[in-house]
Amino acid sequence: MASNFGTIDCGRGCPFNCGFCTIINVQGRKMRVRSATFIADAIRENWRQHQVDFYFFTDDNFARNAQWEQIFDTLIELREQENIQVSFMMQVDVLSYKIKNFVTKARRVGCTQVFIGMETINPESLKDAGKHKTRPRTM
């Protein structure tokens, strides 16, 4: 593993009940989040002590973190005012692109990779899984 790599939990839990995901069994459906200041302080300290500049935000669905925009704004300040060129990868749900400013700010703050969770787009697979109310959608 690269020495400049770190992980950080910005939040835990997920409000959804996707059949393929086990996270609600581990962390629950109630969202718990860390403040943008906490995240920035941790990243700043890791940069100073170990030159960590790439992170995996381990939130199972970062887009549903109530503090996502404050976290992005704080990280933009780190990049632009303190010259800490942090970048990261994250996990989101397939509809996160609809959140106003989410994609634009993610790019500006240094997001380089995104894992997108989706159950399936195959209607037969949904039927086999007993997901009669779930329908594949086109975007």
Side-chain angles (χ1 to χ4, degrees):
M1 185 173 296
S3 62
N4 70 325
F5 182 84
T7 61
I8 194 162
D9 287 336
C10 299
R12 292 188 176 178
C14 184
F16 300 124
N17 192 23
C18 302
F20 64 87
C21 185
T22 61
I23 199 58
I24 60 172
N25 297 327
V26 177
Q27 295 182 0
R29 291 184 65 195
K30 180 181 179 188
M31 296 292 294
R32 295 160 326 278
V33 299
R34 290 182 164 153
S35 71
T37 302
F38 178 91
I39 302 301
D41 289 345
I43 289 172
R44 188 180 291 114
E45 188 66 20
N46 284 335
W47 169 250
R48 287 185 184 143
Q49 289 189 15
H50 308 288
Q51 287 70 53
V52 174
D53 63 358
F54 187 80
Y55 285 88
F56 175 37
F57 290 172
T58 59
D59 301 43
D60 290 286
N61 193 343
F62 184 81
R64 303 308 164 181
N65 183 319
Q67 296 291 315
W68 75 264
E69 191 161 26
Q70 292 90 337
I71 292 169
F72 280 1
D73 289 343
T74 301
L75 296 180
I76 288 168
E77 289 177 16
L78 285 179
R79 292 173 66 84
E80 295 177 358
Q81 295 175 11
E82 298 180 41
N83 201 30
I84 299 174
Q85 297 302 310
V86 64
S87 57
F88 65 96
M89 60 180 148
M90 65 180 167
Q91 302 177 107
V92 299
D93 65 87
V94 72
L95 296 177
S96 61
Y97 77 97
K98 290 185 174 188
I99 301 170
K100 185 178 179 182
N101 296 324
F102 186 79
V103 173
T104 303
K105 284 194 176 187
R107 180 177 178 180
R108 184 174 174 200
V109 76
C111 181
T112 60
Q113 299 168 28
V114 179
F115 297 99
I116 301 174
M118 67 178 75
E119 199 150 5
T120 183
I121 59 170
N122 183 328
E124 288 302 311
S125 295
L126 289 169
K127 181 180 167 188
D128 291 345
K131 301 284 183 167
H132 303 290
K133 293 183 181 181
T134 303
R135 300 281 183 259
R137 298 182 207 158
T138 57
M139 291 186 224

